[in-house]
Amino acid sequence: TIFVNIKAIHWNPAFWPAPAAYRPERFEQPFDSFRFLPFINGPRNCLGQYLALLESRILLSLLTQRFVFEPVHGAAAGRTHEYMVPVCPADGLLMRITRRE
């Protein structure tokens, strides 16, 4: 088994100076696509990612048309986990779901 630590690549100062700083302008210049791996770019790229993203958008739009989603814990629901990749809520994300009228 081979494990690729994506966060270690994304936070490597050799690739990204000041990796913890929020600097979206760093993506304006061309860079090696293997330094930023949101969908694992390159020859082993996920072939189904576009279909999966399209299906998830369709499902999300259908759900938001039919239901109202509200976080149970309000503002605390936006806290992200300290080290999990992909980014996820720190303490889960409990939602109150009600049917739209």
Side-chain angles (χ1 to χ4, degrees):
T1 302
I2 297 174
F3 176 76
V4 176
N5 188 341
I6 294 173
K7 187 162 186 173
I9 293 171
H10 291 172
W11 286 68
N12 187 335
F15 298 142
W16 307 105
Y22 177 73
R23 294 186 19 215
E25 66 275 3
R26 70 176 87 216
F27 297 103
E28 292 173 353
Q29 303 299 320
F31 59 88
D32 181 3
S33 62
F34 290 99
R35 291 182 183 180
F36 182 63
L37 306 172
F39 278 107
I40 311 296
N41 202 1
R44 304 274 190 267
N45 191 353
C46 175
L47 296 175
Q49 75 181 355
Y50 301 107
L51 177 61
L53 287 171
L54 179 62
E55 287 177 335
S56 62
R57 287 184 197 124
I58 291 169
L59 180 63
L60 186 58
S61 67
L62 290 171
L63 288 172
T64 55
Q65 285 175 0
R66 297 177 180 152
F67 300 94
V68 175
F69 293 82
E70 298 173 284
V72 172
H73 299 298
R79 276 188 335 112
T80 58
H81 198 278
E82 187 176 326
Y83 56 85
M84 290 296 290
V85 174
V87 176
C88 64
D91 302 312
L93 183 58
L94 297 176
M95 300 294 285
R96 183 175 296 111
I97 304 170
T98 54
R99 184 177 288 277
R100 291 188 185 272
E101 296 296 324

